[in-house]
Amino acid sequence: MPTTAITGRSLTLTIGAKTYADQGASVTLNLNNNQQVLETLSGRAYKTVDYSGTLDIEMFADWGVAGGLCAQLWDAAKSAPDTSLSFSFVAGATSTIAGKVFPAFPPQGGAATDVLTTSVSLVIDTSAAITRT
């Protein structure tokens, strides 16, 4: 069976109803199971209670652009930090990941001669399902 190589060039991030393809340099979903180990008389048993995670985004800073991703995240974190935003991203042509995240303030600033980038880590809303299709 041949190996399939999937590049990050096809990553598209959608938050709310707006799609961001050009600002995103990297999108990574990190999920962790909260797995408990139960010591019983007959041996160990494992029980996964829930999970937690983050959606980590590295992007080109688009401050000052109407409807830009930085401004959208900033405004949502300031006005409704406990209201989750829908997200989806496509990794390669084979897998679409969707769920909800809570907004966070993207850092601002950088060197005068650099193309400005910023990284933000958004907490997963575990009350909504994470899907992979």
Side-chain angles (χ1 to χ4, degrees):
M1 176 183 237
T3 300
T4 302
I6 297 173
T7 69
R9 293 187 187 273
S10 60
L11 288 176
T12 300
L13 175 66
T14 303
I15 294 182
K18 186 157 174 68
T19 299
Y20 302 90
D22 296 332
Q23 288 92 340
S26 173
V27 179
T28 305
L29 176 66
N30 295 296
L31 294 176
N32 299 300
N33 283 331
N34 176 4
Q35 189 176 61
Q36 304 293 311
V37 179
L38 308 171
E39 296 288 345
T40 67
L41 293 176
S42 60
R44 287 187 174 172
Y46 299 88
K47 175 67 179 167
T48 299
V49 179
D50 60 8
Y51 65 93
S52 62
T54 59
L55 183 69
D56 299 325
I57 305 168
E58 184 174 335
M59 60 188 158
F60 297 101
D62 60 354
W63 295 103
V65 175
L69 181 55
C70 287
Q72 296 293 328
L73 288 173
W74 181 279
D75 291 347
K78 184 176 180 182
S79 65
D82 297 325
T83 301
S84 57
L85 306 169
S86 296
F87 78 87
S88 66
F89 69 91
V90 177
T94 60
S95 187
T96 300
I97 310 295
K100 291 192 170 207
V101 292
F102 292 105
F105 293 104
Q108 298 182 48
T113 59
D114 289 346
V115 173
L116 297 182
T117 61
T118 189
S119 297
V120 65
S121 185
L122 307 176
V123 173
I124 298 294
D125 179 354
T126 58
S127 69
I130 299 288
T131 60
R132 183 182 62 83
T133 55

